[in-house]
Amino acid sequence: MSITFEYLITIEPLGFLYGSAGRFLSPENLVGRSGSSFPASAATVSGLYATTYQQNELQTLRIAGPFWAFSNNLQNFHVPVPFTFLITDSKIKHQLNWYPDREEWQTETGSSPIGKFDKKGSWIAIKEWQKPQQVFVNPWEYLPHLHPRLELEQRKVDVNSDRGSLFLENAVQMNPDTCLIYLSNIELAAGWYRFGGEGHLVDIKCLKIDEKTKQLLNQPVGQKFALITPAVWGSNRLSYREPMIFQNAKWETAWETETFLTERPIPYRYRLGGKGKTKRLFRGRYAVPAGTVYLLKNPLKEPWHNWPKTWFPTEGYSFQRWGCGLSLPLELSVGLTLGNPTLCWVSLSFNPTYENCKIGRKIKCLTVILP
């Protein structure tokens, strides 16, 4: 069975896609979007396969996502924008290049970027990967609902609960002209499925990936590449910024990194649990976010699906099964010379929960990626 991606899995919601149940609310906490998680990770789609195939039929299963596409142009699906592209008002304002003599990512004019830029929810079409012309925003919106918490024995609001009498559900409504896209090497039967944490109905179709996209996915990633899915690197317990292998009685990096451009890590749910046909996601890890750009000292001569299994953590399954760190090559800037290995410097707008951080302050990537 092929280990390369052969199929597009399209997921179209029948109404709300799913609502992520938030924390129970108290009178002191009636605002915010608690516990939301969207789009669903590739591990959720893996659960659909687990309900339709036997385990021995899924030994080589590989899934990657999430992506999305317009319903009238499924083959030209959208992937996260590499962080080297700085976006303002859904337009590309700058493209960053690495200057080893200055030890800094700078714009095409050789200057440091100034201003605020969009950091989340930016996508480009896969057929414009090397030279994107248009940037798209998330084609979905959250519709929070407050629900009363009912007593177990009767349909009556439980006013005596110490967790409060209301809870928040974050239903997600997609643009009716769009659908979610996942890549897979095994065909999934078309039909209606219950999908996501709340088990809402979706319509799933499966079609072949066109040859141009397959050629891009099968290219060696080379010396400069970007993640289009989150990546969990490291051991089964610790998360790192790049692949790690255990040799010489210690953990060592799998490749020699010149520099990389990334943001703060994201929570990542990765393991299937439960008994019978009903599966659930288990504990999570921290992942390097999609869009992270790596620049190596020496090019990698293999595409992602041929990377050694030792580069991916394994706990139950190899994380490569869920498209961990799926990468596509980027053009190496003309005249870019590589110097000694160093940590890059990046200018970011920080989450206000970060302490002692000012907007635009430059800090090392090591500080950015580790939780």
Side-chain angles (χ1 to χ4, degrees):
M1 186 175 292
S2 173
I3 61 173
T4 61
F5 293 118
E6 300 287 341
Y7 300 96
L8 288 180
I9 308 299
T10 71
I11 299 180
E12 183 177 355
L14 301 176
F16 292 132
L17 188 55
Y18 74 92
S20 181
R23 302 187 190 99
F24 284 92
L25 300 181
S26 64
E28 293 79 19
N29 182 27
L30 289 175
V31 295
R33 194 160 65 220
S34 172
S36 60
S37 177
F38 189 86
S41 70
T44 305
V45 182
S46 178
L48 299 180
Y49 280 87
T51 62
T52 55
Y53 285 85
Q54 298 297 323
Q55 287 298 319
N56 59 353
E57 300 176 290
L58 299 177
Q59 296 302 315
T60 60
L61 175 64
R62 289 187 181 177
I63 305 172
F67 314 113
W68 66 270
F70 289 104
S71 301
N72 61 357
N73 193 8
L74 297 175
Q75 294 291 348
N76 194 21
F77 57 90
H78 298 79
V79 298
V81 176
F83 291 153
T84 48
F85 294 100
L86 300 183
I87 312 298
T88 301
D89 298 328
S90 299
K91 295 181 180 179
I92 297 176
K93 187 173 182 180
H94 295 294
Q95 182 175 0
L96 298 180
N97 295 313
W98 173 248
Y99 289 80
D101 54 334
R102 306 172 192 175
E103 298 186 355
E104 190 173 5
W105 290 92
Q106 296 186 340
T107 66
E108 58 280 349
T109 61
S111 59
S112 298
I114 300 176
K116 294 183 178 180
F117 304 98
D118 303 336
K119 288 296 180 182
K120 294 182 179 180
S122 298
W123 307 78
I124 56 175
I126 190 68
K127 296 187 184 300
E128 297 180 357
W129 172 252
Q130 293 292 1
K131 296 181 179 179
Q133 303 297 318
Q134 187 175 3
V135 179
F136 299 84
V137 298
N138 293 336
W140 57 79
E141 61 179 340
Y142 291 95
L143 298 177
H145 300 277
L146 284 175
H147 295 271
R149 182 175 182 271
L150 302 180
E151 294 184 1
L152 297 178
E153 302 297 332
Q154 55 184 327
R155 298 185 63 82
K156 177 182 176 182
V157 176
D158 187 0
V159 295
N160 297 320
S161 173
D162 56 2
R163 294 184 293 176
S165 59
L166 295 174
F167 72 92
L168 181 69
E169 180 187 40
N170 288 306
V172 180
Q173 184 177 36
M174 291 194 66
N175 184 314
D177 296 325
T178 63
C179 61
L180 293 179
I181 296 288
Y182 297 83
L183 309 181
S184 178
N185 65 330
I186 298 178
E187 187 175 5
L188 182 64
W192 290 5
Y193 292 80
R194 293 197 175 275
F195 182 72
E198 296 293 323
H200 287 200
L201 285 174
V202 296
D203 184 19
I204 290 183
K205 295 182 176 65
C206 186
L207 54 147
K208 285 277 192 177
I209 301 176
D210 71 5
E211 288 301 321
K212 186 175 181 180
T213 303
K214 287 177 65 175
Q215 290 175 8
L216 176 61
L217 293 169
N218 294 335
Q219 282 185 24
V221 296
Q223 196 166 359
K224 183 180 180 182
F225 55 90
L227 306 182
I228 61 173
T229 61
V232 178
W233 305 124
S235 67
N236 290 348
R237 295 294 180 182
L238 300 177
S239 299
Y240 293 88
R241 302 162 297 172
E242 54 194 326
M244 305 291 289
I245 54 177
F246 190 77
Q247 59 184 13
N248 301 324
K250 63 180 180 179
W251 289 97
E252 299 179 354
T253 58
W255 57 44
E256 293 186 83
T257 303
E258 175 72 16
T259 186
F260 62 94
L261 185 62
T262 189
E263 292 186 5
R264 61 180 298 178
I266 61 173
Y268 184 74
R269 304 298 297 275
Y270 68 91
R271 197 168 91 175
L272 292 173
K275 298 181 179 180
K277 291 187 176 182
T278 302
K279 304 295 181 179
R280 67 176 186 272
L281 288 175
F282 202 52
R283 62 181 181 178
R285 296 276 293 278
Y286 280 103
V288 181
T292 296
V293 175
Y294 289 91
L295 181 63
L296 307 185
K297 294 185 64 178
N298 301 303
L300 297 178
K301 299 180 181 180
E302 294 287 348
W304 173 87
H305 58 263
N306 285 340
W307 287 2
K309 290 184 178 181
T310 54
W311 289 6
F312 301 91
T314 299
E315 191 169 342
Y317 303 101
S318 169
F319 283 22
Q320 195 174 23
R321 176 189 178 108
W322 299 309
C324 170
L326 178 59
S327 303
L328 295 179
L330 293 172
E331 292 183 351
L332 193 62
S333 302
V334 177
L336 181 63
T337 57
L338 301 181
N340 296 325
T342 182
L343 287 172
C344 70
W345 294 76
V346 293
S347 182
L348 298 173
S349 296
F350 292 91
N351 187 299
T353 58
Y354 268 41
E355 296 180 359
N356 302 322
C357 288
K358 296 180 180 179
I359 301 299
R361 180 187 176 190
K362 295 179 180 179
I363 67 172
K364 289 184 179 180
C365 284
L366 178 63
T367 308
V368 175
I369 190 57
L370 292 180

